[in-house]
Amino acid sequence: MKRMSLWEYANPKKFMATTNVVLPWISVLAAICLVVGLVWGFFFTPDDFRQGSTVKIIYLHVPSALMAINAWLMMLVASLIWLVRRHHVSALAARAAAPVGITFTLIALFTGAVWGQPMWGTWWAWDPRLTSFLILFLFYLGYVALWEAVENPDTAADLTSVLCIVGSVFALLSRYAVNFWNQGLHQGATLSMDKEENIADIFWYPLLVAIAGFVLLFVALVLMRTRTEIRARRLHALQMRERMG
Amino acid sequence: MPELGKYAVWVLSAYGVSLALIVAIVLQTVLRARRVRERLDKAEARRGNG
């Protein structure tokens, strides 16, 4: 029996064929989890005794912040694969993930601000976690701008990969800054393996479903966008050939 | 509709803006995918005829 290897998906044809089958399923699952998680969280969970109804923002804020960081880490892995093994699909997947990561970062920043205002009395604080998250957002913008600015796709992939490695410091800082500095307004991890530290089950279960929805939405969007990037590259090659006669 | 009390504006704006951003990225992804696919199909058809 032939052994399957992960590297087979670096072949654009294999990638297109496989994602053509799995993408509709992932998209439907993402929609179901998102709708169930958000509707459950918004309509069927009680207010928190301290935070009142603002606790409902958790179903947007935590999953989007989690995905903003993990999207960058996924881009880091894809960029490293590009730098080491020169697989074009991995470079295109990293490129495809960036706008999705920007969207999740924006959602996390916005929901954090509108949650912070009534709870902390301020929209923003130069707290280690918030500041590193804002810098991560700027890295996302720079990453997309760099892809657009460099005409040669391989050079663009090289430069953006290096930028991604540098930006990973801030992706990790935005996750662990609270532990490093132990200061600032932002609380520690919302999700913990420690039962004592974790949030109550009544908030935890819908939050888990919402997180699953955000993860699946990210996967679905990245797969679809990577497919588009592969097609765009093929289109560019055909247009160049046409021009050269 | 749940009773959101004095925080209704904060909660509803969080959901409104977040859902708008999600819809925007989904729409942008789907529309660009369709546009690129159509252009590629045309280019491949021209190549086949040529």
Side-chain angles (χ1 to χ4, degrees), chain A residues 87-105:
Chain A
H87 290 316
H88 285 95
V89 172
S90 65
L92 295 178
R95 183 182 190 178
V100 188
I102 289 179
T103 307
F104 288 145
T105 313

Side-chain angles (χ1 to χ4, degrees), chain A residues 42-43 53-54 56 59-60 103 107 110-111 114 118 123 224-225 228-229 232 234-235 238-239 241-242, chain B residues 2 4 7 10-11 13-15 17-18 21-22 25 28-29 32-33 36-37 39-40 43-44 46-47:
Chain A
F42 187 81
F43 289 99
S53 62
T54 61
K56 293 181 191 298
Y59 307 107
L60 293 164
T103 307
I107 292 174
F110 182 79
T111 53
V114 295
W123 300 94
M224 191 181 278
R225 296 180 78 94
T228 302
E229 292 299 336
R234 165 102 180 125
L235 174 66
L238 286 178
Q239 285 172 336
R241 225 177 282 171
E242 275 178 15
Chain B
L4 298 173
Y7 300 123
W10 311 113
V11 177
S13 63
Y15 274 81
V17 171
S18 301
L21 284 169
I22 290 172
I25 189 73
Q28 194 267 343
T29 302
R32 180 161 184 261
V36 169
R37 189 179 187 153
R39 288 177 61 196
L40 180 60
E44 282 183 333
R46 275 199 306 275
R47 186 166 169 250

Side-chain angles (χ1 to χ4, degrees), chain A residues 38 41-42 45-48 51-65 107-119 123 190 203 207 210 214, chain B residues 4 7-16 18:
Chain A
L38 294 181
F42 187 81
T45 56
D47 290 355
D48 181 66
Q51 303 188 46
S53 62
T54 61
V55 74
K56 293 181 191 298
I57 298 176
I58 202 173
Y59 307 107
L60 293 164
H61 182 70
V62 170
S64 58
I107 292 174
L109 285 170
F110 182 79
T111 53
V114 295
W115 200 357
Q117 221 295 325
M119 291 302 107
W123 300 94
T190 303
F203 303 116
L207 179 58
F214 271 75
Chain B
L4 298 173
Y7 300 123
V9 174
W10 311 113
V11 177
L12 291 177
S13 63
Y15 274 81
S18 301

Side-chain angles (χ1 to χ4, degrees), chain A residues 28-241:
Chain A
V28 170
L29 257 180
I32 291 171
C33 287
L34 260 185
V35 170
V36 170
L38 294 181
V39 167
W40 186 357
F42 187 81
F43 289 99
F44 303 107
T45 56
D47 290 355
D48 181 66
F49 74 103
R50 265 184 307 203
Q51 303 188 46
S53 62
T54 61
V55 74
K56 293 181 191 298
I57 298 176
I58 202 173
Y59 307 107
L60 293 164
H61 182 70
V62 170
S64 58
L66 194 83
M67 286 318 298
I69 296 167
N70 286 308
W72 191 273
L73 296 180
M74 173 253 145
M75 288 161 58
L76 171 68
V77 172
S79 299
L80 289 173
I81 293 172
W82 162 254
L83 288 175
V84 175
R85 299 191 68 137
R86 312 303 283 180
H87 290 316
H88 285 95
V89 172
S90 65
L92 295 178
R95 183 182 190 178
V100 188
I102 289 179
T103 307
F104 288 145
T105 313
L106 260 179
I107 292 174
L109 285 170
F110 182 79
T111 53
V114 295
W115 200 357
Q117 221 295 325
M119 291 302 107
W120 298 337
T122 180
W123 300 94
W124 181 262
W126 295 102
D127 146 302
R129 188 176 235 184
L130 272 65
T131 307
S132 48
F133 212 83
L134 179 65
I135 296 172
L136 177 65
F137 177 63
L138 298 177
F139 263 95
Y140 266 121
L141 295 183
Y143 180 91
V144 171
L146 191 54
W147 261 111
E148 297 298 326
V150 181
E151 203 171 326
N152 183 301
D154 285 2
T155 310
D158 286 340
L159 294 175
T160 52
S161 295
V162 173
L163 183 71
C164 190
I165 293 168
V166 178
S168 300
V169 175
F170 293 95
L172 290 172
L173 269 184
S174 56
R175 172 69 184 79
Y176 295 107
V178 179
N179 309 6
F180 293 153
W181 282 293
N182 202 24
Q183 63 174 44
L185 282 174
H186 203 288
Q187 64 179 66
T190 303
L191 308 176
S192 169
M193 298 305 280
D194 186 342
K195 197 93 175 125
E196 294 295 307
E197 278 184 28
N198 215 348
I199 58 172
D201 286 353
I202 200 159
F203 303 116
W204 167 246
Y205 293 125
L207 179 58
L208 268 187
V209 181
I211 289 173
F214 271 75
V215 171
L216 289 165
L217 176 67
F218 173 75
V219 173
L221 287 174
V222 171
L223 289 181
M224 191 181 278
R225 296 180 78 94
T226 307
R227 287 168 62 82
T228 302
E229 292 299 336
I230 290 170
R231 286 194 173 116
R233 187 166 281 204
R234 165 102 180 125
L235 174 66
H236 182 70
L238 286 178
Q239 285 172 336
M240 294 298 282
R241 225 177 282 171

Side-chain angles (χ1 to χ4, degrees), chain A residues 12-29:
Chain A
K13 272 191 179 165
K14 174 79 181 167
F15 179 86
M16 294 298 271
T18 308
T19 53
N20 191 40
V21 177
V22 298
L23 187 53
W25 293 100
I26 296 174
S27 305
V28 170
L29 257 180

